[in-house]
Structure formats: C-alpha cells, structure tokens
Amino acid sequence: MELFVRLSGLLVVLLLGAGFRATGLLDAGRTARLNAVAYYVALPALIFVSTYDRAIGELLSLTLLGGLLFVLFATVGLAWLVHRNRASVGRRSVAVVQSYHSNLGYLGLPLVAATFNAEVTATASVVLGVVTLIQLPLSILLLSTLNGADAALGHELRGLAKNPVLGSLIAGLAVGSLGLTVPGPAATGLDLLGSIALPLALLCVGASLEVDLPSIDIGATGAVIGLKIFCMPALAWAVFSVLAVDAATFTAAVVMLGTPTAVSTFVFAVELGGDEEFASLNVFATTLVSMLTLFVLITLVN
C-alpha cells in the first residue's frame, strides 16, 4: 500500500508539471532552470552519496556488465525487427531508439533511491553510468544514420566527458575505492540535495510532455510501449536470473531497465530529423504506463 501511495504521488507530480506548463507557470525558461538544478546539482549529489563509501569492485562486475550489454543490444535488435517496415523513416528511427533508450537518470535512479536501500541505490548508480555510456552515442548514431542527418557524433562524445552524472559517479567510486572519508556535514548536505532529484525531475518531465491527439499512431506507439515497458524489463529479469546475481544487482538492473523512454530522445529526434510529434507522444505514453508497471516490478522484486 505504501508503494502504491508513493508511485501515485509521483504520477501527481508528473501531471502537475504538465499542468504548470499548460497554465504558463512552467514556461520554457523556468523549465530549463529547473532542469539545470536537477541535472547539475540534485542528481550528481544523489549519485555521489550513493557511491562514495563503496569500492568499484563491490559494485561493478563482469556479470553485471555482460548482462546489461546483452539486454540492451537484444532489445535494440528486437526493436529493429518490429519497426523495420514503418513507412516513414523519421518515425522508424524514433520508434527503434525509443524502444530501448531508458530514463535512467531523471526517473530510474531517484525512484530506486526513494524505494530501496543504499546497496541497491549504489548498484543502480553504476547501471546508470554503464548504460548511459552505451545508449547515448548509439541513439545519436542510429537517428543520424537512418535520417541522413549530421549528428556531430564526436561533439556528443566529447560532451560525455563533461557529463555531471558520469563525473559524480566516477568521483564517488574513486573516493570509495581509495578509502577516503567525506565530512559528515558535507555528506548530510549532499544527501538533502539528492532527495529533491526525483520531484524536480518529474516536474521537468511533465512540463516537457506534449501530445497531439490527432497524430497518434496506436500501432507504432503500442509497439514502443510493449518493447520498452514490458519486453526490456522481462528480458532483464530472465537474463539476471540466469546469471544468478545477488539481490541488489538483480533489483537495480530490472527496475532501472523497466523505466520509460527518456525525454532526451525527443530532443535528439528534433535535432536529427526524427518524427517530433511521434517522439513526444511516446515519451508521454511510456511514462504514464510505467507508473503502473514500475509498481508491479518493485512489488515483485521486493
């Protein structure tokens, strides 16, 4: 019951973000500033406090890495098979990318931190780092190749080196691996900053969602939902069960890969010639459906 109330609260915050955008309270400028606070302050703080007291060897293993790679690329392959015959190239490229590109940072890690213990949250931070390093350049490459757009892939890859999420992960793991200590007041302050990551992120996601009802392609959007929200976490469940990983690794991997399509895929679609309206609809639809499926996933792994 507590979990249901918590996820219902998350849905309310998400819808509040959409409502604030509709009424003008969260215009583009205010949303951008909230995004900056969430992305450059709250989320890095959450990642750092989740990992600074743990060595990298405790969290990252070849089994975890191999399982994540298998699930990600298996989902990419399935997405290509399902969407390969879409009439529009722009829609096909977006459908493939949005069937695997997970919202790990804005929704996944903050949700895990609010729901599970420190061990699961630390592992989820590593899942975030590993999958982001793969799915971000892969999505840019697919969209630019299929749509014939100039992706400036080198620029995007250089941007990864300045990514605050990855930087805070590396810093936290370095502190933990070297056995350094973080002063209590600093740790407490970072913990408080990290606690606002989820509500801020949900407001920003809600304020970014736009849906044009006449443009809905039920079949294509349904396929994206099926692959991203149902198939990917089910595949993760099967793979990590076979790999017989510990409970924290299993929980972190399944829940993180069960998150909806990332909002950033809409931005990539705009920049790289994808179907913008279709991309926006899929972000909205997968986010809405995931409120129910994440409740089921978290209940099952618990």
Side-chain angles (χ1 to χ4, degrees):
M1 186 62 180
E2 180 185 353
L3 176 60
F4 178 77
V5 171
R6 184 178 297 164
L7 286 177
S8 297
L10 299 184
L11 179 59
V12 169
V13 176
L14 181 75
L15 295 177
L16 276 176
F20 289 159
R21 178 186 58 78
T23 58
L25 289 175
L26 271 182
D27 57 18
R30 294 189 183 102
T31 301
R33 287 191 287 274
L34 276 182
N35 263 314
V37 173
Y39 187 66
Y40 289 100
V41 180
L43 189 56
L46 173 60
I47 293 171
F48 183 82
V49 297
S50 300
T51 55
Y52 77 88
D53 58 349
R54 297 172 184 274
I56 188 171
E58 299 176 19
L59 300 174
L60 181 60
S61 64
L62 289 177
T63 303
L64 174 60
L65 179 61
L68 292 173
L69 290 174
F70 183 87
V71 174
L72 178 61
F73 283 105
T75 308
V76 172
L78 288 172
W80 177 257
L81 288 174
V82 170
H83 299 299
R84 69 186 186 282
N85 292 324
R86 303 284 173 210
S88 163
V89 174
R91 181 156 295 192
R92 183 192 317 150
S93 63
V94 168
V96 171
V97 166
Q98 292 191 317
S99 294
Y100 70 82
H101 196 121
S102 303
N103 192 339
L104 302 174
Y106 267 14
L107 182 57
L109 182 61
L111 177 61
V112 168
T115 310
F116 298 101
N117 61 28
E119 186 178 0
V120 177
T121 304
T123 305
S125 297
V126 173
V127 172
L128 165 62
V130 170
V131 177
T132 297
L133 282 171
I134 301 166
Q135 72 177 8
L136 183 59
L138 178 61
S139 294
I140 294 169
L141 182 63
L142 284 173
L143 283 167
S144 60
T145 301
L146 291 175
N147 294 312
D150 181 10
L153 185 59
H155 172 74
E156 296 293 342
L157 291 176
R158 286 192 295 273
L160 279 175
K162 304 175 183 177
N163 188 305
V165 170
L166 296 176
S168 59
L169 175 63
I170 293 171
L173 291 174
V175 169
S177 298
L178 293 173
L180 304 178
T181 58
V182 175
T188 301
L190 289 171
D191 195 37
L192 287 173
L193 282 175
S195 68
I196 67 172
L198 183 55
L200 272 183
L202 286 170
L203 279 175
C204 294
V205 170
S208 303
L209 298 177
E210 295 183 15
V211 180
D212 183 9
L213 292 177
S215 69
I216 291 179
D217 183 339
I218 295 176
T221 295
V224 171
I225 292 172
L227 286 165
K228 183 70 209 70
I229 301 301
F230 295 98
C231 180
M232 196 171 193
L235 185 58
W237 188 294
V239 168
F240 285 98
S241 293
V242 170
L243 292 174
V245 295
D246 60 85
T249 300
F250 180 86
T251 299
V254 170
V255 175
M256 291 288 279
L257 294 176
T259 53
T261 299
V263 180
S264 60
T265 59
F266 168 74
V267 178
F268 296 149
V270 172
E271 294 178 350
L272 300 174
D275 188 323
E276 300 175 23
E277 292 182 352
F278 180 63
S280 179
L281 171 63
N282 290 339
V283 171
F284 176 82
T286 57
T287 302
L288 195 61
V289 174
S290 73
M291 291 297 102
L292 174 60
T293 56
L294 284 169
F295 170 74
V296 174
L297 270 182
I298 291 171
T299 301
L300 290 174
V301 297
N302 268 335

